[in-house]
Amino acid sequence: MVFFTLVLGAVFFRASYWQVIRGESLSIEADQQHFFSLDIPATRGEIKTIDGFPLVANKQSYVIYANLHEIGGNPKEVAQKITDILVGDDPSLATDSAELAMLGNDMEKKLSLPNATWVRLASGIIETTKEKLLQLNISGLGFYQQSIRDYPESSMAAQLLGFVSEGKTGVEGNFGLEGYYEEELKGRSGKLLEEKDAFQRPILIGDVIKQDKVNGSDLVLTIDRSVQLIVEKHLLQGIATWKASGGTAIVMDPKNGNILAAASFPRYDPKNYYLYQQSLYKDPMVSQLYEPGSIMKPMLMAAAINEGRLTPETRCPVCAGPRVIGSYAVHTFDNHYRPNLTMTEVLINSDNTGMIFVGETLGFPKLYEYLKRFGFSQKTGVDLQGEQSEIFRPIDKWYPIDRATVTFGQGIAVNSLQMIRGMAVIANGGRLVVPRVVKAIVDSAGQTKETKVKQAPQVISAQAAKIVTEMLVRVTAESELRWPRDKMPSIKKYRIAAKSGTAQIPIAGHYDEGRTTGSVLGFGPADNPRFVLLVKLDSPLVRQWGSDTAGPIFFSIMQDLLNYYNINP
């Protein structure tokens, strides 16, 4: 009885092991032995501008496959015939004889696989190539349709969109929207399963199982194609004029955080992304951290006014000369000192010593709190892949010189989107919005789902925002920004609120004396803002000041936007 009990226990344990512990993996292995399969790729969703125009569309192509049991002729000869046609229609597949031979050998290996029935030979085949292959009359050769990415506007908004590549499980999105909305865009592939016998031959009366594909969803963006074109045109011209290494420009609706346009240069061609340096794949708007300089000043001035510590007429009692902080001396940008400045004049003259006074009057604990309330040190929450943000060190780890320089935008790292939504707080009456790029998602059945505009917390009062707006209107009219503005007479009819900034670029623990980041950040019209605009130039060589370089680009874009939206003076 003990013997039989042990034997039955061993049988029971072994059966449990095969059926329970290994059951799932053995079922998969059994299916692989009983069936051969062919994936039917889903059509990836398109990406469209707010007017329905596709920035990323799909173009029909074909995948060529072979049923090895029906292929007639020598595999080497068949492979050579197919390879000659593929390379003839797309010479980039093989640029020399060695590559051509390698491509032919790879095709021959696929056609000679001993235990396979269907093999995939090539993808991305266009209609004319398919017709040429059909004329070869090779039995067992088959095709099925597959969509590939097409870009009707070429490289427009390339970093915003991202690109697709062949991954381990098929086509997958990388960076930008393609990466962030991968699950929505990719859909679900279908599958064709056909039962086979022990010799790997199809069973004529066997089961054929077809799983239908589910195509991906389309994305409808907040991007306006005309605004995007305006921004890209002026930004590219400005980069060339001022010999900058690159630049970024963003237009955002301050009321809801909708991104109307976002451009960065240099950029890449998403269709041929592999020909470009990988450093270009990331979107500088969210992935590039930099020190903003004086465009940070309006936010901290707004904090002091909101707390009731200052008014626009408050005068600076310590602006008669450089400020000494420990072993450091902080100067104005032009080494000119203007005693007894009002706070509005501090912004007009972009006076660093005056901003240190603002920070001291507000107190560093409050200043630190408002930096966070304005959204710095935290990601914006935008629906794009690859956003970076500086994490502030604890409040007690800031040295006195750090507390001083942060008041004029040095010693703090931000991304461009953080800066533009910081200015949007002043433009929209004091609320911190969450930027978004996708307005709606349309599934394969045509059902539209609007993305939510997230609730915005109040950062400063509407009154404080209005006061700082009026200060910035004077900055536009009376500061260095007046020179590029005055060259465009039509824009002088509008009340524009803006601030320029020039920041040194930190490298290896110190600042590069020869390179700067020049920018202008503002909104218009000041009384009922329709858009916030940021223009940033990286390392301009001709002139270093933001008002001189980014200023003309800013006002050129602003002028075209006012005309495009038919806004009266």
Side-chain angles (χ1 to χ4, degrees):
M1 192 167 73
V2 171
F3 172 77
F4 279 107
T5 301
L6 291 173
V7 171
L8 288 173
V11 171
F12 178 79
F13 173 78
R14 199 60 176 162
S16 299
Y17 172 76
W18 291 122
Q19 293 184 328
V20 179
I21 298 174
R22 291 288 310 280
E24 185 176 355
S25 61
L26 289 173
S27 294
I28 294 172
E29 287 184 35
D31 285 341
Q32 290 173 346
Q33 292 177 8
H34 298 158
F35 294 91
F36 54 78
S37 66
L38 184 68
D39 287 333
I40 305 172
T43 300
R44 196 170 176 87
E46 296 186 340
I47 302 177
K48 303 177 180 180
T49 55
I50 199 166
D51 62 351
F53 187 89
L55 290 178
V56 182
N58 293 307
K59 183 168 66 175
Q60 286 304 321
S61 67
Y62 296 89
V63 173
I64 175 175
Y65 64 91
N67 186 330
L68 300 184
H69 294 297
E70 296 180 7
I71 288 286
N74 183 292
K76 184 173 184 178
E77 294 176 358
V78 173
Q80 191 60 52
K81 290 179 181 178
I82 296 173
T83 302
D84 288 344
I85 289 178
L86 293 181
V87 174
D89 280 10
D90 187 0
S92 67
L93 289 173
T95 56
D96 55 37
S97 57
E99 287 186 5
L100 184 60
M102 190 182 300
L103 191 65
N105 290 337
D106 182 61
M107 188 77 68
E108 182 184 349
K109 287 179 183 178
K110 290 179 179 179
L111 292 170
S112 304
L113 290 172
N115 296 320
T117 303
W118 289 351
V119 293
R120 176 169 161 157
L121 300 178
S123 60
I125 306 300
I126 60 175
E127 183 71 35
T128 54
T129 305
K130 174 194 167 189
E131 294 301 323
K132 291 177 183 178
L133 290 169
L134 286 173
Q135 291 173 12
L136 294 175
N137 293 320
I138 299 174
S139 60
L141 212 59
F143 303 85
Y144 63 83
Q145 281 191 342
Q146 179 191 46
S147 61
I148 57 175
R149 281 319 215 191
D150 186 43
Y151 301 89
E153 292 288 354
S154 188
S155 297
M156 177 181 277
Q159 283 111 334
L160 186 81
L161 298 172
F163 60 87
V164 296
S165 63
E166 286 284 345
K168 293 180 180 179
T169 58
V171 173
E172 59 185 26
N174 302 272
F175 301 98
L177 293 168
E178 293 276 21
Y180 189 91
Y181 285 98
E182 168 67 6
E183 291 301 313
E184 290 81 359
L185 287 166
K186 72 177 182 180
R188 189 183 72 231
S189 297
K191 194 178 288 288
L192 184 66
L193 300 169
E194 186 172 355
E195 198 169 9
K196 60 186 178 181
D197 63 19
F199 296 99
Q200 306 296 310
R201 298 172 301 195
I203 300 175
L204 296 179
I205 59 172
D207 290 334
V208 176
I209 303 170
K210 184 178 181 181
Q211 298 174 358
D212 291 330
K213 65 179 181 177
V214 177
N215 291 331
S217 301
D218 293 342
L219 304 182
V220 179
L221 307 184
T222 58
I223 298 294
D224 186 311
R225 187 162 52 110
S226 297
V227 176
Q228 182 73 26
L229 182 63
I230 290 169
V231 168
E232 290 194 1
K233 179 184 74 171
H234 289 298
L235 180 61
L236 192 58
Q237 289 174 350
I239 289 172
T241 300
W242 303 108
K243 293 182 170 53
S245 63
T248 296
I250 311 167
V251 182
M252 187 174 79
D253 186 332
K255 297 180 178 65
N256 51 29
N258 286 350
I259 305 297
L260 307 177
S264 292
F265 293 97
R267 62 185 179 188
Y268 64 94
D269 177 6
K271 185 176 182 179
N272 300 302
Y273 66 90
Y274 47 85
L275 299 176
Y276 295 79
Q277 295 178 356
Q278 293 186 13
S279 59
L280 295 179
Y281 297 163
K282 293 181 179 180
D283 189 344
M285 176 175 73
V286 293
S287 66
Q288 184 183 79
L289 298 179
Y290 69 102
E291 296 194 7
S294 295
I295 57 174
M296 177 68 77
K297 292 174 180 176
M299 292 70 160
L300 298 182
M301 185 69 76
I305 290 173
N306 190 64
E307 288 294 313
R309 307 288 176 86
L310 297 170
T311 71
E313 291 75 34
T314 301
R315 295 192 176 273
C316 174
V318 290
C319 293
R323 289 297 307 275
V324 177
I325 311 291
S327 60
Y328 299 93
V330 179
H331 303 269
T332 59
F333 79 94
D334 57 1
N335 275 322
H336 290 161
Y337 299 92
R338 305 163 182 87
N340 215 28
L341 289 173
T342 66
M343 292 300 101
T344 299
E345 290 168 340
V346 166
L347 290 181
I348 291 171
N349 292 285
S350 201
D351 194 289
N352 294 339
T353 61
M355 285 307 301
I356 294 176
F357 168 72
V358 171
E360 292 170 340
T361 304
L362 181 59
F364 189 70
K366 274 293 178 185
L367 187 151
Y368 186 86
E369 175 190 329
Y370 271 95
L371 284 173
K372 290 192 169 185
R373 287 172 64 173
F374 270 95
F376 305 111
S377 88
Q378 57 185 269
K379 293 182 179 180
T380 64
V382 70
D383 46 346
L384 290 172
Q385 196 177 67
E387 183 176 11
Q388 300 293 320
S389 176
E390 180 189 35
I391 299 175
F392 286 172
R393 57 189 183 273
I395 192 169
D396 59 346
K397 300 296 183 183
W398 290 61
Y399 295 107
I401 188 62
D402 299 327
R403 300 181 179 198
T405 59
V406 74
T407 62
F408 49 88
Q410 294 271 192
I412 181 175
V414 300
N415 67 49
S416 297
L417 201 55
Q418 288 174 325
M419 283 309 307
I420 197 169
R421 79 165 182 161
M423 183 62 85
V425 170
I426 298 171
N428 67 26
R431 295 175 297 106
L432 184 69
V433 296
V434 177
R436 66 170 182 167
V437 180
V438 172
K439 184 177 185 293
I441 300 173
V442 184
D443 66 22
S444 58
Q447 298 295 316
T448 300
K449 180 183 178 182
E450 294 271 344
T451 59
K452 291 183 179 179
V453 177
K454 296 181 181 177
Q455 185 129 16
Q458 197 76 20
V459 177
I460 59 174
S461 68
Q463 181 64 19
K466 186 175 180 180
I467 290 171
V468 178
T469 295
E470 291 304 317
M471 296 171 77
L472 291 175
V473 170
R474 284 192 59 187
V475 170
T476 306
E478 301 175 36
S479 72
E480 295 296 320
L481 277 175
R482 70 183 183 274
W483 301 113
R485 189 191 70 144
D486 288 351
K487 293 179 181 178
M488 304 174 192
S490 63
I491 208 165
K492 291 182 68 175
K493 301 175 184 176
Y494 294 88
R495 282 165 43 85
I496 306 298
K499 180 74 184 77
S500 63
T502 306
Q504 292 177 296
I505 298 175
I507 54 167
H510 66 279
Y511 287 106
D512 188 331
E513 295 295 333
R515 298 168 58 225
T516 60
T517 299
S519 55
V520 176
L521 175 59
F523 54 89
D527 301 298
N528 182 24
R530 291 285 300 276
F531 36 78
V532 188
L533 170 62
L534 169 68
V535 175
K536 178 176 79 76
L537 287 186
D538 303 322
S539 304
L541 296 180
V542 179
R543 296 291 296 273
Q544 63 175 326
W545 305 111
S547 56
D548 295 340
T549 57
I553 306 171
F554 176 90
F555 288 112
S556 296
I557 294 173
M558 185 68 73
Q559 186 175 51
D560 283 356
L561 292 179
L562 293 167
N563 291 335
Y564 175 69
Y565 287 108
N566 196 28
I567 297 172
N568 293 322

